[in-house]
Amino acid sequence: MIKFENVSKIYPGNFAALENIDLVIEDGEFVSIVGQSGAGKSTIFKLITAEELPTEGEVIFNDKSVKSIKRRHLPYFRRNIGMIFQDFKLLPQKTAFENVAYALEVAGYTNEEIAEKVPEILDIVGMGSKAEKYPRQLSGGEQQKISIARALVHNPHVILADEPSGNLDPISTWEIMQLLLKINSLGTTVLLATHNKETVDKLRKRVIGIENGKVIRDDKTGKYII
Amino acid sequence: MKWLKLLRTFKEGGVNFYRNGSLTFVTVTVLTVSLFAISMALLLLYIANMVMIEAQNRVNISVYFKSAVEESRILEVKSKLEEYDEIKYVKYISKDQALEELVSYSTKNETIKKALDEVEENPLNSLLVIGAKSPDQYARITEAVNSSFFSEDVSNINFYDNEENIRRISNVILMTKKAGLIFGAIFVLIGILITFNTIKLTIYSHKQEFEVMRLVGASNLYIRMPFIFEGIFYGLVSGLIVVVLLFGASYLISPLTDGNIPQGNALKVFWGHIWIILGGVFGAGILLGMVSSFIAIRRYLKV
């Protein structure tokens, strides 16, 4: 469970990225966070991964305040979370297989486990045949699928997808959404930040609307309305 | 688990090393040039020093005794002189030995031969050849001899003939040492700065990857280790190239140094110090690569 308790994030220069946010996201939910660029969607993700700390209030992840996590424990904490980005953020010098394997290597999985899990997850995202390709040899949609495989491979509690379809064509976008729904149906919590109206309307899942750092709506099966 | 991670980061460093292609090439080239400049400066300094020491060893002064002075008296003086700290050696040459040397020398020189034939008696004096520990001490030794208890027995000291040469050699030695140290230090500093900055640029090109690695759950150590290993590989490869280059350089300058240094020539110096050279070049290369990587990556691992 992820909980925001009266969270504000003020950047230097008195710029408030988030103001008095109260949110509860239950395990297994699929939540779309919508809003224009600069509304504060990415800041919410950064607070969950402890890349940033709240200026006020508490972010609770699985009953533990994110603020209280020691710096040296952050890598372990982050292994509970799978991240997907608009620009994929794959490691360019590594093949698709190695990119996915990296998430397991850093967590200390054995070589046998890696050899078993990586092909499995690449098959799930439909990229089994592209395992030996480098990111530059793949299309945007394919790169995003690899990035999803990387986020998923160590069975995280939560997937944070920050504009995952921002750079993709409509068909690839829908494929990615189908994948996220599939992941969610297997029990993983999915948080999707997007400003793609069509996608959100089709999903028919919970929608949280953010504007100027404030929650302006929170609908159980909402549509993209701002 | 620790060994597994160490092995993985080692492998990753190796993979990065060959996959980075042109970047690896540039870094290795820069490191090689720096290391070569540093070791060449040190090698030349060493050889120059050796040439100087050899020249210094050839400098000595001769104290000639009046012909009436007994051999036992001269030997007494010799043992007195040997007590001085400034004096490295004292060699006694009797008038007969001096004549012998002159005769053997005269076989090559007709004029001396004729002169010797005309003089029936041995015209030469016995002498003591004195070598000082440092050439700047000859003046003091000469003075000491002149004011000593046996000064009456001395007919001539050749220091005055050689004074200018001795002074010049001693100045050149001092100058070479100073210049060598200054140039050596400058080369070392430039080498370190260039290498550090090149590795910094190499790591800068991976800047965005660090963020990804962190977000995927890699610890700072896990991110850092492959780059440190990569730095070690840069050092190893550059070190290997530099040792080969040093061999080539020693081979080329060998004819110039033949007979002018105690070891014979530059190539012999190279082989005689091969372990120090290997240790120094590889040690410096690895250290430079490793420490540069370590420092350069630090600033990107703050979050």
Side-chain angles (χ1 to χ4, degrees), chain B residues 200-220:
Chain B
K200 207 166 108 180
L201 283 177
T202 309
I203 287 183
Y204 178 80
S205 70
H206 292 284
K207 197 176 111 194
Q208 283 178 332
E209 293 170 34
F210 300 142
E211 189 199 340
V212 184
M213 293 172 178
R214 249 191 344 252
L215 289 173
V216 169
S219 63
N220 278 353

Side-chain angles (χ1 to χ4, degrees), chain B residues 128-295:
Chain B
L128 287 176
V129 177
I130 302 173
K133 284 187 179 150
S134 160
D136 55 10
Q137 282 158 348
Y138 284 110
R140 209 169 350 139
I141 292 170
T142 308
E143 216 173 281
V145 170
N146 273 334
S147 56
S148 67
F149 68 97
F150 57 88
S151 60
E152 287 296 308
D153 303 332
V154 173
S155 76
N156 181 30
I157 303 175
N158 75 345
F159 171 71
Y160 301 107
D161 312 332
N162 290 339
E163 193 180 2
E164 186 56 29
N165 286 337
I166 290 174
R167 211 169 45 80
R168 217 178 278 161
I169 286 184
S170 114
N171 277 345
V172 169
I173 290 173
L174 277 177
M175 285 271 291
T176 317
K177 275 189 183 160
K178 265 191 208 160
L181 281 179
I182 292 170
F183 278 115
I186 291 174
F187 269 126
V188 169
L189 196 70
I190 292 176
I192 290 175
L193 282 179
I194 293 180
T195 309
F196 175 67
N197 277 303
T198 310
I199 291 187
K200 207 166 108 180
L201 283 177
T202 309
I203 287 183
Y204 178 80
S205 70
H206 292 284
K207 197 176 111 194
Q208 283 178 332
E209 293 170 34
F210 300 142
E211 189 199 340
V212 184
M213 293 172 178
R214 249 191 344 252
L215 289 173
V216 169
S219 63
N220 278 353
L221 191 65
Y222 196 92
I223 299 174
R224 183 184 279 150
M225 287 311 284
F227 288 94
I228 291 176
F229 282 126
E230 210 178 322
I232 293 176
F233 293 139
Y234 290 142
L236 274 175
V237 175
S238 310
L240 192 70
I241 300 172
V242 168
V243 170
V244 172
L245 286 176
L246 278 180
F247 170 78
S250 312
Y251 183 80
L252 286 177
I253 58 172
S254 248
L256 298 175
T257 53
D258 246 336
N260 290 325
I261 49 177
Q263 287 90 337
N265 59 35
L267 203 57
K268 283 184 183 152
V269 172
F270 178 84
W271 286 120
H273 295 78
I274 186 71
W275 294 113
I276 296 174
I277 292 174
L278 284 177
V281 168
F282 279 108
I286 290 170
L287 198 73
L288 211 58
M290 201 171 75
V291 173
S292 304
S293 298
F294 184 84
I295 296 173

Side-chain angles (χ1 to χ4, degrees), chain A residues 51 71 75 78-79 85 89 91-94 98 102-103 105-111 114 134 150, chain B residues 1 4-5 8 12 16 19-20 206 209 211-220 222-223 301-303:
Chain A
E51 264 185 276
R71 269 173 76 96
R78 286 181 181 145
R79 290 172 201 163
F85 308 91
K89 294 203 193 297
L91 300 170
Q93 306 281 12
K94 292 184 185 296
E98 289 167 342
Y102 189 79
E105 285 171 3
V106 301
Y109 282 74
T110 64
N111 291 338
I114 292 173
Y134 287 92
R150 179 180 63 188
Chain B
M1 181 111 136
L4 181 69
K5 285 192 174 178
R8 275 183 185 157
E12 182 141 348
N16 287 349
R19 278 194 195 161
N20 279 346
H206 292 284
E209 293 170 34
E211 189 199 340
V212 184
M213 293 172 178
R214 249 191 344 252
L215 289 173
V216 169
S219 63
N220 278 353
Y222 196 92
I223 299 174
L301 295 177
K302 296 245 163 85
V303 177

Side-chain angles (χ1 to χ4, degrees), chain B residues 45-210:
Chain B
L45 183 63
Y46 180 77
I47 290 175
N49 212 17
M50 285 295 125
V51 171
M52 288 302 153
I53 287 172
E54 186 66 8
Q56 204 171 322
N57 284 341
R58 285 179 194 170
V59 175
N60 53 41
I61 53 171
S62 302
V63 178
Y64 295 90
F65 288 83
K66 290 173 181 162
S67 48
V69 181
E70 293 286 322
E71 187 177 63
S72 58
R73 172 72 172 166
I74 299 175
L75 289 175
E76 187 193 335
V77 172
K78 177 177 183 273
S79 59
K80 278 278 167 209
L81 284 172
E82 278 167 345
E83 286 170 12
Y84 284 96
D85 278 343
E86 292 86 351
I87 292 174
K88 200 155 122 193
Y89 62 88
V90 184
K91 203 168 114 195
Y92 170 60
I93 298 174
S94 67
K95 57 169 84 173
D96 296 336
Q97 281 170 327
L99 183 66
E100 247 172 63
E101 274 179 34
L102 191 60
V103 169
S104 70
Y105 181 64
S106 72
T107 52
K108 295 174 203 156
N109 191 320
E110 276 303 308
T111 327
I112 294 177
K113 201 175 178 188
K114 270 184 198 162
L116 279 176
D117 285 345
E118 253 169 62
V119 187
E120 287 174 6
E121 212 179 302
N122 181 355
L124 301 174
N125 293 335
S126 302
L127 65 140
L128 287 176
V129 177
I130 302 173
K133 284 187 179 150
S134 160
D136 55 10
Q137 282 158 348
Y138 284 110
R140 209 169 350 139
I141 292 170
T142 308
E143 216 173 281
V145 170
N146 273 334
S147 56
S148 67
F149 68 97
F150 57 88
S151 60
E152 287 296 308
D153 303 332
V154 173
S155 76
N156 181 30
I157 303 175
N158 75 345
F159 171 71
Y160 301 107
D161 312 332
N162 290 339
E163 193 180 2
E164 186 56 29
N165 286 337
I166 290 174
R167 211 169 45 80
R168 217 178 278 161
I169 286 184
S170 114
N171 277 345
V172 169
I173 290 173
L174 277 177
M175 285 271 291
T176 317
K177 275 189 183 160
K178 265 191 208 160
L181 281 179
I182 292 170
F183 278 115
I186 291 174
F187 269 126
V188 169
L189 196 70
I190 292 176
I192 290 175
L193 282 179
I194 293 180
T195 309
F196 175 67
N197 277 303
T198 310
I199 291 187
K200 207 166 108 180
L201 283 177
T202 309
I203 287 183
Y204 178 80
S205 70
H206 292 284
K207 197 176 111 194
Q208 283 178 332
E209 293 170 34
F210 300 142

Side-chain angles (χ1 to χ4, degrees), chain A residues 38-100:
Chain A
K41 305 188 295 286
S42 298
T43 308
I44 289 184
F45 283 5
K46 282 183 180 164
L47 290 172
I48 295 174
T49 58
E51 264 185 276
E52 303 273 3
L53 291 177
T55 319
E56 267 174 52
E58 290 280 357
V59 178
I60 314 281
F61 189 99
N62 286 349
D63 300 325
K64 203 172 174 196
S65 165
V66 170
K67 231 191 235 173
S68 68
I69 300 169
K70 292 203 175 87
R71 269 173 76 96
R72 64 172 193 278
H73 292 147
L74 278 180
Y76 305 98
F77 166 71
R78 286 181 181 145
R79 290 172 201 163
N80 292 311
I81 302 169
M83 292 282 289
I84 303 165
F85 308 91
Q86 179 173 1
D87 55 355
F88 325 129
K89 294 203 193 297
L90 294 173
L91 300 170
Q93 306 281 12
K94 292 184 185 296
T95 63
F97 183 97
E98 289 167 342
N99 262 289
V100 177

